Amino acid sequence: MLCITGLLVTASASAQTVTIPVETAQTAIVLQVAPNKDLNTIYLGKKLSDPGEYGGIPGVYRQGNNYSGMFNSAYTPAGSRNLLEPAIAVTHADGNNSLDLKYVSHSVKRISDNISLLSIRLRDPVYDFEVTLNYKSYYHEDVIEQWSIIEHHEKGSVTLQKFASANINLKAGSYWLRQYHGDWAKEMRPEETQLSHGIKTLDSKLGTRADLFMPSVFMVSLNHPATEDEGSVLFGSLEWSGNFKTDMEVDPQDNLRIISGINNYASPYQLGAGQAFETPAFVYTFSADGKGKASRNLQSWARNYKLVDGKGTRMTLLNNWESTYFDFNEAKLRELLKNTKKLGVDLFLLDDGWFGNTYPRNDDHAGLGDWQENRKKLPNGIAAIAREAQRDSVKFGIWIEAEMVNPKSELYSKHPDWVIKQPKREEYYFRNQLVLDLSNPQVQDFVYHIVDSLFIKDPALAFIKWDCNAVIYNAYSVHLHQNQSQFYVEYVRGLYKVLQRIRTKYPDVPMMLCSGGGGRVDYGALQYFTEFWPSDNTDPLERIFIQWEYSYFYPALASANHVTDWGKQPLKFRVDVAMMGKLGFDIVVDKLSGNDLKFCQHAISTYNDIKPLIWQGGQYRLSDPRTESVASLMYVNTDRSSAVMLSYLVNYRYEEGSQRPILLKGLDSNKKYKITEINLYTGSTSAINGTKVYSGDFLATVGFNPEVSAGRTSVVLQIDEVKN
Ligand code: DGJ
């Protein structure tokens, strides 16, 4: 399939105009070089059938004079003619604060049939300073990654005061922002508001667990809030696991400017002559067909290009965090391994508490940093547990929190200079711990070797859960000496260096990204991970809402959903909710009744049958838990011959349930289907008649009733094509 990212030169009456469209299957972003060589964005939206018409877009707007001629700059420089929020602001080597950026040239590199990279060189006419804007377009997924590279050859260092990844421009009558906020166990709470004139900022200053209060993902709808299947909407997010800042400015001409990048908070960056500062990418997708389409765009892109092993398989698991916390020993773990086998999941994941001797990790006050097996709990080491796992034919995985340290640890006593803290101020802790200084290559090496030694000691180790529980207080790096303002940037770069090193040596090993729940879920980190932990809140009712919102931005196979004892819902409900993504368990298997155990075992084998659909199928949201009594969604395979539909009661008031049929999506209207209920307790009968045949047309137009009620609070349906 042709990926058109090309140069188009159109002649206008006054001067030659260079128009540069970046097109994907359905959308286009169009840049134009003005006669004075400014680079502007003239369009972002649904692709036109004739690219020759893009050049005419500015001619149909009558928005008056914008004084500077640069309200829609493709990368707004500060300090010359700019009147709005800049994308870049610098202090030159001579102390001057002005910057202007003029188009020099551009090139298009075809990376594959599906991917093109447009690079545009901009240069200051006065200073030896330039910026290259990069637009990497993924044709079939309608996704663009945008980032910039900043360089100079001035006599001395230039201070980058602001250095955004992208500056995009949208035009509409009104703009509706859907943003997220949260805290521990309260991840991904949405708020939707109309953007008013001025600037709305989404940001984080927390350093490590950067998403704790707010992730960088957002949606902006044009003209009215987009629904699941209608309306124009842009989804965006910064691929960066540290401080971020996204400014949304409705300008005096009613256009929306979105400027996203690393947060410049406390971070003026000294850039030496000849060095290049490469920003992280801002990833976005535009859909003219509502939020569902945009989410499927991002999910496919993530599976195809971002996540580790995005097209591969995942392991179901039993985790011991909720069932033991820190209180376990070898005998207990042997039992848990037997339970892993009994349950029928693939892997046992040993969580926090297995390490530390001088300062044993028996609670969260001590031991973090001392990655030697605790001799009391594990007298024969991790290796003995791993061997036992092999004997039980289950895989074995382990939890680490390699970036952090408890003051009560040998590591802290040996290397106080490796710890982030202010030299002259009192220490201040988050979960009784501090963060190690990953800007320091020695610390990077130490952290890398934590993982490497685990694999060297136990080559059969099959899974890592990488946790990160603390934010950064008292930011100060001994290693960075006078360059403290580089710290937040260098920390994340250091983290990525470690993760890259791990991935170079262990490219395939599954790793779960965790941060006291979902405190660090972003595509900067996820390029090194196979999955993430959405929240420590595993109450299934809460989880429906949390998983629902994450699903707009991340594919189901990346969402680790565990069945635990949180909440008051029946076991089946908990299992059905966890099946929305990658199924896992964190329960005391021995406490399950015979019937419940049998149900779980059966559920796991059912899940093994349907997981290809959940992991790789197209996701369609059918009934929204925020507006309806029943939450319902489905996953459909590529040829639309089979699907799974999951429905949950979320409103427990009198007689609430699926009173009306739910319209199915993603099926082929010309095909015929039968619908069977799965994941039931043995012996229980289904309210669904599995012998009836429906056309795809009927299911999409009239719908289907999953019969959700107080007596059937969750229903899993398998939908299969019936061939005559
Ligand atoms: C926070 C994580 O989110 C939990 O799942 C668990 O691993 C604990 N940390 C362990 O300390």
Side-chain angles (χ1 to χ4, degrees):
M1 177 53 83
L2 190 65
C3 178
I4 320 157
T5 303
L7 165 69
L8 196 93
V9 182
T10 52
S12 74
S14 51
Q16 277 266 307
T17 315
V18 182
T19 304
I20 313 168
V22 180
E23 291 191 321
T24 59
Q26 318 250 329
T27 62
I29 171 163
V30 184
L31 305 153
Q32 195 169 64
V33 183
N36 68 354
K37 299 284 182 204
D38 280 357
L39 182 73
N40 298 317
T41 309
I42 58 164
Y43 185 67
L44 200 173
K46 193 172 169 194
K47 168 169 138 179
L48 297 183
S49 43
D50 175 6
E53 290 194 313
Y54 289 126
I57 292 174
V60 294
Y61 284 87
R62 297 281 174 274
Q63 293 176 295
N65 178 14
N66 84 21
Y67 305 100
S68 63
M70 54 188 291
F71 278 15
N72 60 336
S73 167
Y75 198 68
T76 314
S80 46
R81 284 169 297 129
N82 173 49
L83 302 172
L84 304 173
E85 182 62 28
I88 180 167
V90 305
T91 304
H92 294 285
D94 65 2
N96 188 293
N97 285 326
S98 74
L99 183 67
D100 199 2
L101 291 171
K102 299 293 186 190
Y103 170 85
V104 178
S105 63
H106 75 278
S107 63
V108 179
K109 194 167 146 198
R110 213 182 146 93
I111 295 174
S112 72
D113 276 358
N114 193 48
I115 308 173
S116 283
L117 175 63
L118 164 71
S119 300
I120 309 177
R121 250 184 87 207
L122 307 173
R123 211 180 143 69
D124 190 300
V126 174
Y127 284 90
D128 196 348
F129 186 100
E130 63 176 71
V131 176
T132 304
L133 304 184
N134 293 292
Y135 299 77
K136 194 171 184 184
S137 53
Y138 299 80
Y139 190 83
H140 291 297
E141 294 79 9
D142 286 318
V143 165
I144 294 182
E145 280 182 298
Q146 204 176 310
W147 73 99
S148 49
I149 299 174
I150 304 164
E151 286 162 282
H152 72 90
H153 289 92
E154 298 186 17
K155 292 189 176 61
S157 290
V158 170
T159 308
L160 307 182
Q161 309 285 4
K162 187 168 184 195
F163 32 89
S165 299
N167 177 169
I168 60 177
N169 301 277
L170 290 159
K171 283 178 184 292
S174 59
Y175 309 94
W176 299 82
L177 170 68
R178 188 174 178 88
Q179 62 175 97
Y180 295 89
H181 69 101
D183 202 333
W184 179 77
K186 295 185 202 161
E187 288 85 348
M188 293 300 279
R189 300 203 163 176
E191 283 170 313
E192 190 145 358
T193 44
Q194 182 175 358
L195 288 169
S196 56
H197 288 84
I199 299 179
K200 164 82 189 180
T201 300
L202 306 180
D203 82 337
S204 168
K205 303 181 186 77
L206 310 185
T208 34
R209 196 175 168 173
D211 296 350
L212 180 64
F213 301 149
M214 176 175 283
S216 76
V217 292
F218 68 87
M219 305 175 189
V220 171
S221 303
L222 306 186
N223 301 314
H224 54 82
T227 64
E228 206 55 35
D229 304 299
E230 278 166 6
S232 292
V233 61
L234 179 129
F235 284 19
S237 160
L238 191 71
E239 297 179 36
W240 185 248
S241 312
N243 296 347
F244 64 85
K245 183 168 192 253
T246 302
D247 290 311
M248 308 198 183
E249 179 170 27
V250 179
D251 73 20
Q253 294 190 327
D254 310 329
N255 303 315
L256 176 64
R257 315 168 70 252
I258 301 179
I259 297 176
S260 183
I262 295 174
N263 199 338
N264 57 347
Y265 160 75
S267 297
Y269 197 96
Q270 296 296 313
L271 188 68
Q275 290 175 354
F277 184 96
E278 183 162 347
T279 72
F282 173 69
V283 60
Y284 59 97
T285 184
F286 180 89
S287 156
D289 302 307
K291 300 188 286 187
K293 170 78 169 70
S295 77
R296 286 186 293 281
N297 289 349
L298 274 188
Q299 292 174 355
S300 320
W301 168 79
R303 283 189 302 247
N304 292 339
Y305 299 106
K306 216 54 189 194
L307 281 179
V308 174
D309 203 17
K311 303 299 282 179
T313 184
R314 297 289 184 274
M315 284 188 278
T316 53
L317 59 79
L318 177 68
N319 186 197
N320 72 315
W321 176 240
E322 304 258 327
S323 61
T324 66
Y325 293 103
F326 299 94
D327 181 19
F328 56 83
N329 56 26
E330 199 177 288
K332 225 180 207 175
L333 293 184
R334 282 179 198 279
E335 265 317 294
L336 289 171
L337 286 170
K338 299 263 174 299
N339 288 339
T340 308
K341 173 88 179 152
K342 186 155 62 167
L343 207 52
V345 287
D346 303 315
L347 174 127
F348 173 67
L349 170 60
L350 174 58
D351 215 284
D352 196 353
W354 57 268
F355 49 89
N357 286 297
T358 312
Y359 302 95
R361 180 75 170 167
N362 291 329
D363 57 38
D364 61 16
H365 286 79
L368 209 54
D370 301 345
W371 299 101
Q372 298 79 35
E373 295 99 323
N374 178 280
R375 283 186 291 273
K376 240 182 168 174
K377 289 183 193 173
L378 299 169
N380 301 299
I382 289 291
I385 303 296
R387 273 198 305 275
E388 183 79 11
Q390 262 177 340
R391 271 196 290 276
D392 289 333
S393 321
V394 293
K395 304 260 186 218
F396 174 67
I398 205 161
W399 175 98
I400 53 171
E401 190 176 4
E403 294 162 76
M404 318 251 151
V405 62
N406 282 127
K408 279 193 196 158
S409 68
E410 291 176 66
L411 180 69
Y412 183 93
S413 334
K414 252 191 250 162
H415 295 289
D417 53 325
W418 284 8
V419 177
I420 296 165
K421 55 188 178 115
Q422 283 290 341
K424 296 185 194 143
R425 296 185 196 279
E426 214 181 306
E427 290 176 8
Y428 193 74
Y429 308 125
F430 197 105
R431 206 197 184 200
N432 317 302
Q433 64 200 57
L434 292 163
V435 180
L436 293 177
D437 178 8
L438 271 181
S439 74
N440 181 343
Q442 278 184 307
V443 178
Q444 292 165 20
D445 214 47
F446 168 79
V447 172
Y448 167 75
H449 282 293
I450 296 170
V451 178
D452 195 32
S453 338
L454 282 170
F455 282 114
I456 290 169
K457 269 203 250 165
D458 177 13
L461 187 66
F463 189 92
I464 298 274
K465 175 176 175 183
W466 181 292
D467 206 347
C468 160
N469 283 291
V471 302
I472 294 178
Y473 291 123
N474 285 319
Y476 180 87
S477 156
V478 173
H479 168 73
L480 288 175
H481 305 285
Q482 302 304 312
N483 294 324
Q484 294 302 318
S485 63
Q486 327 270 96
F487 168 72
Y488 284 116
V489 173
E490 296 306 336
Y491 182 92
V492 180
R493 286 179 171 168
L495 171 68
Y496 290 166
K497 276 186 200 159
V498 174
L499 291 169
Q500 186 51 57
R501 221 173 136 190
I502 293 171
R503 277 303 172 201
T504 305
K505 188 157 177 198
Y506 306 102
D508 304 320
V509 62
M511 295 212 297
M512 183 200 285
L513 172 64
C514 173
S515 182
R520 186 197 255 171
V521 189
D522 66 82
Y523 279 117
L526 278 173
Q527 64 188 308
Y528 305 105
F529 290 86
T530 46
E531 53 220 77
F532 66 89
W533 181 235
S535 177
D536 277 353
N537 187 338
T538 48
D539 177 318
L541 194 56
E542 294 284 328
R543 268 291 182 130
I544 293 170
F545 291 83
I546 294 173
Q547 291 167 191
W548 188 274
E549 296 301 329
Y550 271 118
S551 83
Y552 280 112
F553 304 94
Y554 304 100
L557 92 162
S559 178
N561 304 338
H562 294 181
V563 176
T564 72
D565 285 329
W566 280 50
K568 298 185 185 74
Q569 317 299 326
L571 182 64
K572 172 171 159 55
F573 189 89
R574 290 184 266 148
V575 173
D576 289 352
V577 170
M579 280 189 177
M580 255 174 91
K582 207 213 86 166
L583 176 68
F585 288 80
D586 196 343
I587 47 169
V588 184
V589 177
D590 283 338
K591 282 199 190 148
L592 292 175
S593 69
N595 243 1
D596 283 351
L597 175 64
K598 223 189 266 160
F599 168 73
C600 287
Q601 291 166 327
H602 194 239
I604 291 156
S605 104
T606 304
Y607 182 74
N608 286 338
D609 293 339
I610 60 174
K611 67 190 183 190
L613 275 169
I614 296 172
W615 294 351
Q616 299 297 335
Q619 188 195 48
Y620 294 84
R621 291 173 207 81
L622 312 176
S623 176
D624 188 333
R626 286 201 157 73
T627 51
E628 308 294 332
S629 294
V630 174
S632 187
L633 73 162
M634 62 192 278
Y635 297 92
V636 186
N637 71 351
T638 326
D639 69 4
R640 300 174 192 275
S641 59
S642 57
V644 177
M645 176 179 174
L646 303 132
S647 305
Y648 313 104
L649 185 67
V650 293
N651 179 350
Y652 286 78
R653 297 196 61 191
Y654 184 64
E655 284 203 336
E656 284 301 336
S658 54
Q659 283 145 2
R660 281 166 286 117
I662 292 171
L663 302 188
L664 272 55
K665 298 178 192 168
L667 298 175
D668 184 337
S669 54
N670 296 317
K671 284 187 170 150
K672 298 244 183 295
Y673 298 94
K674 76 174 176 19
I675 300 180
T676 344
E677 182 165 8
I678 54 173
N679 215 30
L680 289 162
Y681 273 72
T682 322
S684 63
T685 46
S686 171
I688 307 294
N689 176 353
T691 61
K692 266 184 134 174
V693 174
Y694 304 87
S695 69
D697 179 36
F698 182 92
L699 295 172
T701 314
V702 179
F704 183 81
N705 199 321
E707 308 286 344
V708 174
S709 63
R712 285 167 51 82
T713 53
S714 64
V715 176
V716 183
L717 299 172
Q718 171 137 14
I719 303 167
D720 287 305
E721 183 183 357
V722 180
K723 289 199 174 137
N724 302 327

